[in-house]
Every structure is written in C-alpha cells, then in structure tokens.
C-alpha cells in the first residue's frame, strides 16, 4: 500500500509540474512546444481554455492510439490529461494571468526554465510506469503498429502537431526549436536522479 502511495505521488506531482512548465513556455511568448501550440491555437480560434483543449485533444488521441495499435483504449490515461489540463488553466488564469516579460533575455530565461520544469515533471511521472500521456501514447502506438524506432515515431508526431499548430496560427517560433533541442537532454539528466530517489523511497 505504501509503495502504491509513493508511486501515485510521483505520478501526480510529475503531471502538476509538467503543467507548470508548459505554462511558462507558453507565457515566454517565444514559441511553445508543437502540441501546446495546437492547444493555444484552438483556444484562440474556437474558444474554450487551453486546458480544455488539452483534455479534448487528449481524449481523441486515447481512442486514436487504440485504433492505431489495435488495442483497447487506455482509459487510465484520462488522469494525465485531466490533471495537466486543469492545472494549465490554474497556472494560466489564476497565477500567471497578468504575467508580463520586459525583455528578450527574461523571456528566454522563462522559456528555458519552463523546459527544465517540464523535463523534471516528465522524469517523475514516468518512474511508476503508469498510463502515459496520450501524446506519448501516440508515439508508442506508431512504434507498435509500424515498427518505427521511438525517435522516428516521436519525430512524426511532433511534425504532425507542428503542421497543425501552424494551420491554426498557434505560437510557433524560436522557442519551439529550443524546446525540441533541449527537452530530450533535460529529461535524460533528471531521469536517473528521479529513479534513484523513488527506488530509495520504495526500499
């Protein structure tokens, strides 16, 4: 029971931290991650909050992933989109609503800080090996169905989101490129440390 509680703690705290990092990358106004830019674009084009679109797109992906992988829908992945969606709206609308950045260097600092926070959150939420965020599930579904490497599958999903974000007028910019370059190394940096801490707590 204690072990389940510790794993659930890592999972939920990781998702909340991810939502904070995503909010900071959006608020940096230099360009968001491809999928986040899709949600911002939809919010500005159609309405609803960014967090609502995280939940809507995520729900669609849960069923799309199941069809691609020829498996049952991973309904527990609803937890990931609900927590991230709700907390993005909390950070965006309550905490950073009037958040303004005076210079490019402050914007860049907030962007890189946001990327580091996302990576830290991802490293925490992955440790318990519970349900994946549907965007990560999309990558895995492509890998399973078509035999792609994870790197190829990840690239394909990011390009798909990038095209969609551009079509919707989402915030694509230099920040988007910086996120693509830094997110992998940052996750790798935090992953081993998060794994060590969780295993120590479980032992």
């Amino acid at each position: 029971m204690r072990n389940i509680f510790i794993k659930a703690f890592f999972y939920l705290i990781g998702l909340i931290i991810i939502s904070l990092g995503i909010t900071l990358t959006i608020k940096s106004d230099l360009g968001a991650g491809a999928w986040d830019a899709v949600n911002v674009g939809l919010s500005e084009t159609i309405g609803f909050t960014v967090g609502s679109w995280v939940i809507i797109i995520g729900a669609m992906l849960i069923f799309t992933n199941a069809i691609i992988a020829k498996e049952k829908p991973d309904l527990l992945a609803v937890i990931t989109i609900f927590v991230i969606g709700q907390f993005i709206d909390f950070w965006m609308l309550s905490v950073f609503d009037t958040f303004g950045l005076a210079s490019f260097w402050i914007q860049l600092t907030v962007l890189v800080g946001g990327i580091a926070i996302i990576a830290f959150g991802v490293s925490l939420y992955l440790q318990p090996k519970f349900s994946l965020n549907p965007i990560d599930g999309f990558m895995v579904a492509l890998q399973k169905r078509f035999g792609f490497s994870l790197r190829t599958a990840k690239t394909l999903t990011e390009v798909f989101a990038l095209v969609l974000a551009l079509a919707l007028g989402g915030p694509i910019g230099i920040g988007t490129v910086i996120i693509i370059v830094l997110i992998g190394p940052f996750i790798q940096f935090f992953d081993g440390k998060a794994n060590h801490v969780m295993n120590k707590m479980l032992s």
Side-chain angles (χ1 to χ4, degrees):
M1 190 68 181
R2 174 178 165 271
N3 285 4
I4 290 291
F5 178 80
I6 290 169
K7 287 182 177 182
F9 175 78
F10 268 71
Y11 190 68
L12 291 173
I13 290 296
L15 294 173
I16 293 168
I17 290 171
I18 289 168
S19 71
L20 172 59
I22 289 171
T23 301
L24 290 174
T25 60
I26 293 170
K27 288 289 186 177
S28 76
D29 206 25
L30 290 176
W35 287 99
D36 303 320
V38 169
N39 294 321
V40 173
L42 285 166
S43 177
E44 291 176 351
T45 305
I46 298 173
F48 303 124
T49 62
V50 174
S52 296
W53 282 111
V54 169
I55 295 169
I56 293 166
I57 296 294
M60 291 167 64
L61 280 175
I62 287 171
F63 291 99
T64 303
N65 296 345
I67 292 166
I68 293 171
K70 295 183 177 179
E71 295 175 352
K72 289 181 179 176
D74 181 11
L75 297 180
L76 287 176
V78 169
I79 295 169
T80 68
I81 56 175
F82 183 78
V83 172
I84 292 174
Q86 290 293 313
F87 273 91
I88 283 177
D89 281 350
F90 168 71
W91 300 120
M92 291 274 286
L93 304 176
S94 298
V95 179
F96 297 111
D97 183 33
T98 56
F99 192 59
L101 302 174
S103 74
F104 169 77
W105 295 110
I106 295 173
Q107 288 177 284
L108 187 62
T109 302
V110 169
L111 175 74
V112 174
I115 297 169
I117 290 167
I118 292 171
F120 179 55
V122 168
S123 70
L124 292 179
Y125 117 92
L126 289 178
Q127 296 311 317
K129 295 181 170 57
F130 291 167
S131 291
L132 291 173
N133 180 325
I135 293 169
D136 296 327
F138 188 24
M139 169 187 70
V140 172
L142 289 175
Q143 182 208 23
K144 285 180 178 177
R145 179 68 180 271
F146 302 108
F148 296 138
S149 68
L150 278 178
R151 182 179 294 180
T152 301
K154 179 65 172 174
T155 302
L156 287 170
T157 60
E158 289 298 310
V159 169
F160 171 75
L162 192 63
V163 171
L164 200 54
L166 286 168
L168 291 164
I172 298 294
I174 184 64
T176 310
V177 178
I178 295 171
I179 290 167
I180 291 168
V181 171
L182 293 184
I183 193 70
F186 276 23
I187 291 171
Q188 193 167 347
F189 173 78
F190 287 119
D191 185 61
K193 294 171 176 58
N195 183 260
H196 175 74
V197 171
M198 192 181 81
N199 287 336
K200 199 168 183 180
M201 290 175 72
L202 291 173
S203 60

